[in-house]
Amino acid sequence: MKRIVVLISGSGSNLQAIIDACQQQRINGSLAAVFSNKASAYGLVRAQEAGIPAHALSPQAFADREAFDRALMAEIDAYTPDVVVLAGYMRILSPAFVQHYAGKMLNIHPSLLPRYPGLHTHRQAIDNGDEEHGTSVHFVTEELDGGPVILQARVPIFADDSEEEVMARVQHQEHAIYPLVINWLVEGRLAMRDNAAWLDNVQLPAQGYAEE
Ligand code: GRF
């Protein structure tokens, strides 16, 4: 059984979707551990309730980003993961960390990348008068929210939508597509080569897999 480690910083609703998908065997792997850079992250409670080892590592205890990431890497590697999943992990990663897990680390970002990397994506989409928004699952590279996109899901933005309404609509899609993509990686169907994502040996277009 392939082993998955998940990194979180907050509520962990994506983590919950991954836990459920593993239990229902929609992901053909097992959750080896969950790590958070915040001890108060509710996702840690979700992990404990599912019987998954859950750890918090505080950045304040380390001299710099590199030292924190080295310690985190050592703790992650003790679980010998095949796949590392960022699920609302709100920390910039050091280059050494990214290189160490290259090709086996995924992130989910709440926008239709390459639009709106970084924070406050829902607010920006609304303020710009966008008629649609969405979420992207991508391989992690050294460029923030910049790695090859694997799969996106789109949602409409309606007039008078609040930021919370758009966020909830996006998260609903995240909970559907993230487990799907994680399973592709777990089953060895996904690869990152030549700074592109490949599914079943077919290079995916810049916006990821698209059903036309
Ligand atoms: C998600 O919307 C994800 O796209 C972003 O952070 C949010 C995490 O939410 N990276 P949760 O902790 O999974 O509920």
Side-chain angles (χ1 to χ4, degrees), residues 57-76 89 91-101 142:
L57 218 64
S58 167
Q60 284 78 44
F62 298 88
D64 54 27
R65 183 177 308 284
E66 284 67 29
F68 174 78
D69 276 4
R70 268 197 305 276
L72 182 57
M73 257 189 273
E75 293 215 19
I76 292 172
Y89 183 64
R91 250 184 92 76
I92 307 269
L93 304 169
S94 61
F97 191 94
V98 172
Q99 282 154 20
H100 187 65
Y101 299 111
E142 287 181 40

Side-chain angles (χ1 to χ4, degrees), residues 10-15 87-88 90 107-110 171 174:
S11 121
S13 69
N14 278 283
L15 168 65
M90 304 299 283
N107 183 40
I108 191 159
H109 179 75
Q171 285 220 328
E174 293 191 329

Side-chain angles (χ1 to χ4, degrees), residues 38-50:
K38 292 208 166 88
S40 60
Y42 181 64
L44 291 172
V45 176
R46 297 181 192 267
Q48 282 155 1
E49 282 176 355

Side-chain angles (χ1 to χ4, degrees), residues 178-197:
Y178 211 7
L180 181 68
V181 175
I182 292 166
N183 191 48
W184 289 346
L185 188 58
V186 162
E187 293 195 327
R189 298 177 56 187
L190 260 186
M192 180 168 71
R193 274 201 305 276
D194 310 326
N195 203 35

